[in-house]
């Protein structure tokens, strides 16, 4: 993971992780069947990472420009309560979310992949780009994942946050009991 000691230092205090969907939780592809039904591919390990992060006390939220049933269904299976969809200005939604949860933006991270994510990424303490993000987004991120969106990038971020907060080892050991 392309990160710095600065990113690790900031990650210690993160209480809220915000994720984009297309290109972050998915590979960015939009698939349609012959009936026009949209399909998306999600990585199951990303889902497990999200659950582990929430178990450790870090809130997880979604802010996405699109509004689809497949995403709503996936987020429902993950029990993600803070889901903002159909959002054109992610910076505005981020501010609303921060106030709603009483979590300061200095305690927040945002994972994005394209320029529509920059208004939110530029406001948080830890802006993160996935490996397959647009080059301008990577230039404006404090950290870039090794994995691409939809291929374990979110799990990589979750593990990074857990390790930075010294919660990873205990959580992993709990599965061996």
């Amino acid at each position: 993971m392309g990160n710095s000691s600065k990113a690790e230092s900031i990650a210690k205090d993160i209480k809220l992780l915000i994720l984009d969907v297309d290109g972050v939780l998915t590979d960015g592809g939009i698939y349609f069947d012959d009936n026009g039904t949209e399909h998306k591919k999600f990585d199951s390990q990303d889902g497990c990472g999200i659950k582990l992060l929430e178990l450790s006390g870090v809130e997880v939220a979604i802010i996405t420009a699109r509004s689809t049933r497949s995403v709503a269904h996936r987020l429902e299976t993950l029990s993600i309560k803070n889901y903002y969809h159909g959002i054109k200005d992610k910076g505005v939604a981020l501010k609303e979310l921060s106030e709603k949860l009483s979590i300061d933006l200095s305690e927040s991270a945002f994972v994005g992949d394209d320029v529509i994510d920059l208004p939110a990424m530029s406001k948080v303490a830890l802006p993160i780009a996935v490996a397959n993000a647009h080059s301008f987004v990577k230039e404006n991120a404090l950290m870039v994942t090794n994995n691409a969106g939809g291929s374990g990038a979110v799990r990589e971020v979750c593990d990074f946050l857990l390790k930075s907060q010294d919660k990873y080892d205990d959580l992993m050991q709990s599965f061996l009991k």
Side-chain angles (χ1 to χ4, degrees):
M1 177 178 308
N3 60 55
S4 65
S5 58
K6 182 177 181 183
E8 288 179 44
S9 175
I10 293 168
K12 290 177 184 179
D13 298 319
I14 295 300
K15 295 180 180 172
L16 172 62
L17 175 65
I18 307 106
L19 305 167
D20 176 38
V21 175
D22 293 321
V24 173
L25 278 171
T26 75
D27 62 5
I30 300 172
Y31 309 93
F32 294 97
D33 65 20
D34 289 342
N35 297 320
T37 303
E38 184 174 323
H39 301 273
K40 295 180 183 292
K41 177 184 90 63
F42 295 91
D43 187 298
S44 63
Q45 289 186 3
D46 286 349
C48 185
I50 288 169
K51 298 308 282 178
L52 291 171
L53 201 59
E54 289 179 326
L55 253 169
S56 79
V58 176
E59 290 277 349
V60 178
I62 304 297
I63 300 177
T64 181
R66 299 187 72 241
S67 203
T68 63
R69 287 182 291 192
S70 58
V71 171
H73 178 73
R74 176 63 176 148
L75 300 182
E76 184 178 306
T77 63
L78 292 173
S79 303
I80 294 178
K81 300 175 290 282
N82 296 295
Y83 170 40
Y84 293 74
H85 55 95
I87 304 298
K88 301 303 175 210
D89 187 338
K90 294 183 181 186
V92 171
L94 175 67
K95 185 175 185 293
E96 180 183 315
L97 175 65
S98 173
E99 291 171 0
K100 174 184 171 187
L101 297 176
S102 299
I103 298 175
D104 195 83
L105 295 177
S106 66
E107 301 169 312
S108 302
F110 190 103
V111 184
D113 74 306
D114 214 333
V115 294
I116 192 171
D117 300 317
L118 288 173
M121 290 175 69
S122 66
K123 289 177 176 54
V124 297
L126 185 55
I128 303 168
V130 293
N132 57 317
H134 186 276
S135 61
F136 190 69
V137 175
K138 289 181 188 179
E139 290 169 20
N140 286 280
L142 191 56
M143 188 173 109
V144 178
T145 64
N146 291 319
N147 294 322
S151 296
V154 171
R155 178 60 178 266
E156 184 180 341
V157 169
C158 292
D159 286 353
F160 173 75
L161 293 173
L162 290 168
K163 288 175 183 176
S164 297
Q165 297 179 10
D166 294 323
K167 298 174 180 176
Y168 181 84
D169 290 337
D170 287 342
L171 268 172
M172 293 301 116
Q173 288 301 313
S174 72
F175 290 97
L176 295 175
K177 296 177 181 176

